[in-house]
Amino acid sequence: MTNLPMLTDARLTLEDRVAVLTLDRHDVRNALTGTHLIDDIIATTEWVNQCQEVSVLVITGAGSAFSAGGNIRDMAERKGDFAGDVAECAERYRRGIQRIPLAMQGVEVPVIAAVNGPAIGAGFDLANMADIRMASDRAKFGETFLNLGIIPGDGGAWFMQRQIGYQRAFELTLTGRVVEAAEAQELGIAMDVVPADELMPATLKLARRMAEQPPKATRLTKRLMKMAQRMELKDFLDLCACFQGMCHNEPEHMEAVNGMLAAMARK
């Protein structure tokens, strides 16, 4: 049995190669600051990368919200992550919430955000750091930083425009408006929207389909998808050739090929 990391404000399970991380501070709508959720997310991403028994990571929230992002009461009182002068506050961001985008960008397996309710501010950004977003019909999404007189300090301006394009991301960020699940799907924020009671079954069905794929090739493919965003074609093709050479020399490749041949013979 794989040893799971010890988490404080989140729950983690592993079944059928699918890890499910549930943000479990519903008393504060799963706010990322003022809780231990940042540390829990970082610990989970590090564990996923080291655990070869994981092929997919699902992130969701307990209670009514996915995540409310930053703790507004802490902002009002200038305490916790929001305390100090300019230099101190900047350092708190670097050592605090900015660890999440760096960790999420480095996750080696597919990440699916099962957005069960409002994903606001940094909570919206966390969802955008996933590869795929499945949304409940109760989900809402808002890049609401400007409504509070602050900027997306966790990298949200970097992630969202890569999901839906500069123009749409600019409009959502500069207006700070909150969009319902149906519009989020139209904009390309959410891949699918399902009734609330179907969210986890639908998400796990997708996750298990991915988890059935050869695990080493799955991790290499995730790396390729990320690297394709920042590489020139010729360099990218050279990398593909190297990765493909690795795949052709893995036992899982021959297992998959022989399984395909056997299935063809039965037809």
Side-chain angles (χ1 to χ4, degrees), residues 203-223:
T203 301
L204 291 175
K205 181 180 179 180
L206 174 62
R208 287 170 182 147
R209 177 66 185 89
M210 293 181 179
E212 290 172 354
Q213 300 287 58
K216 292 184 178 179
T218 294
R219 289 189 178 225
L220 287 175
T221 301
K222 165 73 181 278
R223 288 174 65 185

Side-chain angles (χ1 to χ4, degrees), residues 17-267:
R17 304 191 63 84
V18 176
V20 178
L21 175 67
T22 304
L23 311 181
D24 198 17
R25 282 299 304 273
H26 51 88
D27 57 315
V28 290
R29 297 172 64 79
N30 300 320
L32 300 176
T33 60
T35 66
H36 295 281
L37 286 174
I38 293 174
D39 290 335
D40 288 348
I41 292 169
I42 302 304
T44 299
T45 61
E46 292 174 349
W47 169 77
V48 164
N49 285 347
Q50 295 170 4
C51 181
Q52 296 303 311
E53 295 180 35
V54 180
S55 284
V56 181
L57 172 63
V58 173
I59 301 177
T60 192
S64 61
F66 178 75
S67 174
N71 188 309
I72 296 179
R73 286 188 172 83
D74 284 355
M75 293 182 196
E77 298 173 11
R78 292 298 310 280
K79 69 178 185 180
D81 293 285
F82 314 112
D85 60 22
V86 172
E88 291 171 331
C89 192
E91 187 65 13
R92 290 179 189 277
Y93 267 78
R94 284 193 291 268
R95 295 184 178 276
I97 201 164
Q98 288 186 352
R99 294 161 59 208
I100 293 179
L102 295 173
M104 290 290 290
Q105 188 72 354
V107 177
E108 297 176 1
V109 303
V111 180
I112 305 173
V115 185
N116 53 298
I120 304 299
F124 182 19
D125 294 339
L126 175 61
N128 279 332
M129 294 171 200
D131 300 298
I132 291 174
R133 282 151 298 285
M134 298 284 288
S136 155
D137 55 7
R138 298 175 184 171
K140 298 180 180 181
F141 301 84
E143 193 76 347
T144 55
F145 296 92
L146 271 176
N147 298 349
L148 299 172
I150 56 176
I151 57 97
D154 61 341
W158 191 92
F159 285 95
M160 184 162 50
Q161 62 180 292
R162 284 165 169 76
Q163 303 293 347
I164 63 174
Y166 178 83
Q167 182 171 248
R168 287 295 190 184
F170 190 90
E171 182 266 327
L172 289 179
T173 304
L174 270 291
T175 63
R177 70 185 182 92
V178 176
V179 301
E180 303 287 336
E183 184 181 0
Q185 185 177 21
E186 292 174 2
L187 292 172
I189 295 168
M191 187 180 76
D192 285 317
V193 176
V194 298
D197 60 353
E198 297 177 17
L199 176 62
M200 286 310 294
T203 301
L204 291 175
K205 181 180 179 180
L206 174 62
R208 287 170 182 147
R209 177 66 185 89
M210 293 181 179
E212 290 172 354
Q213 300 287 58
K216 292 184 178 179
T218 294
R219 289 189 178 225
L220 287 175
T221 301
K222 165 73 181 278
R223 288 174 65 185
L224 282 177
M225 294 290 289
K226 288 291 188 182
M227 296 173 81
Q229 297 175 342
R230 61 181 187 271
M231 293 181 70
E232 295 294 332
L233 178 60
K234 188 178 185 304
D235 296 332
F236 181 69
L237 290 174
D238 286 342
L239 179 65
C240 289
C242 293
F243 280 12
Q244 197 72 299
M246 294 165 62
C247 289
H248 279 295
N249 284 275
E250 284 289 344
E252 68 179 25
H253 165 57
M254 293 312 302
E255 291 173 8
V257 168
N258 291 331
M260 183 72 71
L261 290 173
M264 292 169 61
R266 291 193 294 268
K267 291 183 179 179

